[in-house]
Amino acid sequence: MGSKVPGATLAQQIHAALTDAKTVKYYSGNLGSAQSSSPSSNSLTDTVQLKLDDPMTAAFTDGGSSKRDVIAVDGVVYGYDRRSKNWVKQSQTPSPLEQQFVATYTSQIAELDPRVAADMLSAGEAVVKGQTTIGGVQATHYAVIATGAALMDKQVASMKAHGCDLLAVPEIKKSFDKAKAKDGATQYTLEVFLDPQNRPLVYLEPTKGGGSKSGRDYAKYTGYGDELSIEAPSSWKTFAEVEKLSPTASARTSSSSS
């Protein structure tokens, strides 16, 4: 406990383990009022199945409805519009509005991609905080303290590398720059729990200060190497077609997975 390892070294070890794993399932949740940094007893909500290679092949299931809302197959994205009850397929030349929705869809997959979490660790030096058990598996708890700017830059760059280009959307880029200007120099703590093979079991989002705070979002990873069932919808419409069906469909489409 207390030993240190360069975050970049730890990130390389995680990436190697994930390449070997090939697939993963993960669940997002919130620590709520819990004070412990171990989230094993807290509720889990949204679910993602992901192939750990590129281009993106994954499926996002909304925790509230228990229905798949986003599917990506070999980099082609489909989002489900609940009002019109249509799958909407990403076009090859998306309009600015459609591009924004594609970024929204894919962010729900890429933001908690364990490869993205690994790249964020490389923003600083990792400190071993101790050992624990998660789901019956021994886990090593690491924490990295880095500036908000460094973590944000690592996150968006890694998300882009794995299929979600947030900063290509002007509105998102504007919010990103504003957040960096406000909190870029602030020190944040990122935490991750790794199994003996250096695969993430739990990721805790960056928080100001010393970490392990209540109310933090987190991801719990499982099913490494499992066979996944991810196929493109058998029928779909284009974004433009759905907009013609209902002028307000685009607003619903972006919120269908929230």
Side-chain angles (χ1 to χ4, degrees), residues 47-253:
T47 307
V48 171
Q49 297 184 40
L50 174 69
K51 290 188 177 181
L52 291 163
D53 57 11
D54 297 309
M56 181 186 286
T57 294
F60 172 91
T61 300
D62 176 66
S65 66
S66 297
K67 295 182 181 297
R68 282 192 174 180
D69 280 344
V70 183
I71 296 173
V73 178
D74 293 330
V76 179
V77 180
Y78 303 80
Y80 189 72
D81 176 54
R82 293 180 183 173
R83 183 68 65 87
S84 67
K85 297 182 180 179
N86 285 298
W87 281 99
V88 183
K89 182 181 179 181
Q90 170 189 357
S91 64
Q92 293 184 344
T93 56
S95 66
L97 185 59
E98 181 184 358
Q99 191 175 38
Q100 180 176 346
F101 294 131
V102 170
T104 300
Y105 292 147
T106 54
S107 69
Q108 294 175 103
I109 296 168
E111 185 174 6
L112 297 175
D113 185 324
R115 296 169 297 180
V116 175
D119 287 333
M120 291 174 70
L121 289 171
S122 67
E125 187 174 53
V127 178
V128 177
K129 306 297 287 185
Q131 303 287 325
T132 188
T133 301
I134 297 176
V137 178
Q138 183 180 0
T140 304
H141 179 189
Y142 293 90
V144 165
I145 297 176
T147 65
L151 290 168
M152 291 172 69
D153 286 340
K154 292 286 186 181
Q155 183 179 44
V156 296
S158 187
M159 288 175 67
K160 180 178 180 180
H162 299 301
C164 177
D165 190 0
L166 286 176
L167 300 189
V169 180
E171 291 81 0
I172 297 177
K173 177 66 163 58
K174 183 177 180 180
S175 297
F176 177 85
D177 291 340
K178 183 177 180 180
K180 276 186 67 174
K182 179 181 178 182
D183 291 322
T186 302
Q187 294 289 314
Y188 284 79
T189 299
L190 166 67
E191 296 174 81
V192 67
F193 295 76
L194 304 183
D195 70 9
Q197 287 76 45
N198 289 316
R199 302 175 302 190
L201 294 175
V202 169
Y203 159 79
L204 293 167
E205 70 168 2
T207 186
K208 295 180 182 180
S212 303
K213 307 295 184 182
S214 63
R216 294 171 74 182
D217 290 333
Y218 70 95
K220 188 172 183 178
Y221 304 93
T222 186
Y224 285 111
D226 286 359
E227 290 290 330
L228 303 181
S229 177
I230 303 172
E231 297 181 353
S234 58
S235 63
W236 46 266
K237 293 187 180 298
T238 66
F239 188 86
E241 288 172 331
V242 172
E243 281 193 294
K244 289 179 181 179
L245 287 173
S246 173
T248 59
S250 57
R252 292 193 305 274
T253 305

